[in-house]
């Protein structure tokens, strides 16, 4: 049970629990920032006009590079967190 909850997924991607966690936190923080920018943009349309879109593009490029450089790129899903 513990292995399934904490280790199976990171290992299937060729990652340790810690490296997977650090990457997920980094991606999550950037997504939260982009979400906050969207909320501010909704209130003041002149602010953060490209922030969310640029963040999505940057995150996609980052995750694509991680997948390509991983130990098991074929075992990674089309999306990854």
């Amino acid at each position: 049970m513990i292995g399934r909850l904490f280790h199976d997924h990171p290992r299937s991607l060729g990652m340790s629990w810690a490296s997977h966690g650090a990457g997920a936190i980094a991606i999550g923080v950037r997504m939260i920032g982009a979400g906050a920018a969207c909320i501010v943009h909704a209130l003041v349309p002149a602010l953060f006009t490209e922030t969310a879109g640029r963040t999505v593009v940057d995150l996609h490029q980052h995750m694509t590079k991680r997948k390509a450089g991983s130990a098991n790129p074929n075992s990674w899903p089309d999306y990854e967190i």
Side-chain angles (χ1 to χ4, degrees), residues 6 9 12 14-15 17-18 21 23 28 51-52 56 58 60 65 67-68 70 78-79 81:
F6 294 99
H9 173 65
S12 74
M15 302 172 78
W17 174 85
T51 302
V56 169
D58 290 348
H60 180 264
K65 287 179 186 176
K67 178 179 179 177
S70 73
D78 290 335
Y79 58 91
I81 296 178

Side-chain angles (χ1 to χ4, degrees), residues 6-52:
F6 294 99
H7 299 291
D8 288 356
H9 173 65
R11 284 182 184 155
S12 74
L13 303 176
M15 302 172 78
S16 70
W17 174 85
S19 65
H20 181 271
I25 288 170
I27 289 169
V29 167
R30 291 195 59 199
M31 291 173 72
I32 290 168
C38 283
I39 292 168
V40 171
H41 174 72
L43 300 171
V44 185
L47 298 178
F48 304 112
T49 59
E50 299 178 7
T51 302

Side-chain angles (χ1 to χ4, degrees), residues 23 27 30 57-67 80:
I27 289 169
R30 291 195 59 199
V57 169
D58 290 348
L59 286 173
H60 180 264
Q61 290 174 347
H62 170 75
M63 290 186 282
T64 301
K65 287 179 186 176
R66 279 180 49 176
K67 178 179 179 177
E80 170 262 330

